[in-house]
Amino acid sequence: MQWTLVIPLKPLSRAKSRLADTAADGVRPGLVLAFAQDTVAAGLACPGVADVVVVTDDGRAGRELSALGARIVPDTPARGLNAALAHGAEAVRLVRPGAAVAALNADLPALRAAELARVLGAAAEFPRAFLADAAGVGTTLLAAGAHRELDPRFGPGSRARHRGSGARELVLRGVDSVRQDVDTGDDLRAALALGAGPYTTAACVGLLAPGA
């Protein structure tokens, strides 16, 4: 099965406010963009991924991620994360009605293509499936097979909400890079310890070192 990844990204200037204790306002937008660049690059390198759609209204992010090979879809609903994801999935299926789609967080700077392939391979066994984040409370990936509604329920406590919606929770070992999203300085340290991608590594020079 070939998947289309749908990645939501809010305007860079408003993203990741919880990183304020680690990155100043002038630095944070570039750091958030770096997370997204490493996420998109790893997604495009994954053998199970046909293409990547990024839902964003941020001009800078759109240009940089398009240059990597992502398709940019404007966040027309402008009603938050879940509406953006549903809109992205709809845009994909207007072009490819039977596409399998997977919502993926934009803040996975240590993402490994091989680990993502394992997760998507496991997700293909179910109509809808999700992967919990490293904290065990949220969700980093929600997958819906061909002709299945994505029905995203991201936000605080999304692991329980996705499970309650009937999506199958994927219990896999060795996919830490797909679980490690970044909301706080500690999350960023954990991602760097796993081995962040080149964009995040460069953005963190002089900001934070692994294990610091």
Side-chain angles (χ1 to χ4, degrees):
M1 182 180 292
Q2 289 290 297
W3 296 85
T4 293
L5 301 181
V6 179
I7 299 176
L9 182 63
K10 68 171 60 175
L12 299 176
S13 62
R14 297 195 285 107
K16 299 298 176 188
S17 60
R18 292 170 62 192
L19 278 173
D21 63 344
T22 302
D25 290 349
V27 173
R28 199 160 61 248
L31 188 60
V32 173
L33 175 58
F35 297 165
Q37 288 172 302
D38 283 323
T39 301
V40 167
L44 288 167
C46 178
V49 172
D51 55 352
V52 173
V53 167
V54 176
V55 183
T56 187
D57 281 335
D58 191 285
R60 177 187 177 192
R63 291 189 298 273
E64 296 291 344
L65 298 175
S66 177
L68 291 178
R71 173 187 169 194
I72 307 303
V73 172
D75 183 8
T76 303
R79 296 195 307 272
L81 176 59
N82 291 312
L85 286 169
H87 174 65
E90 181 180 3
V92 169
R93 286 173 169 169
L94 283 174
V95 178
R96 296 169 52 219
V101 297
L104 184 69
N105 287 6
D107 57 350
L108 299 169
L111 186 64
R112 301 285 188 272
E115 293 184 15
L116 177 60
R118 284 192 59 214
V119 174
L120 293 173
E125 301 296 319
F126 307 101
R128 288 174 65 244
F130 73 95
L131 187 74
D133 64 9
V137 176
T139 304
T140 56
L141 179 142
L142 171 69
H147 306 292
R148 299 285 182 169
E149 290 297 320
L150 186 61
D151 190 16
R153 304 190 183 197
F154 286 84
S158 64
R159 179 186 187 182
R161 287 202 303 275
H162 282 133
R163 187 189 296 128
S165 75
R168 178 64 66 94
E169 180 170 1
L170 301 174
V171 181
L172 300 170
R173 294 184 178 181
V175 293
D176 292 347
S177 76
V178 195
R179 295 184 188 277
Q180 188 57 65
D181 55 354
V182 175
D183 289 315
T184 67
D186 286 343
D187 293 337
L188 180 54
R189 292 179 182 89
L192 290 169
L194 284 174
Y199 294 98
T200 301
T201 299
C204 286
V205 171
L207 174 67
L208 193 65

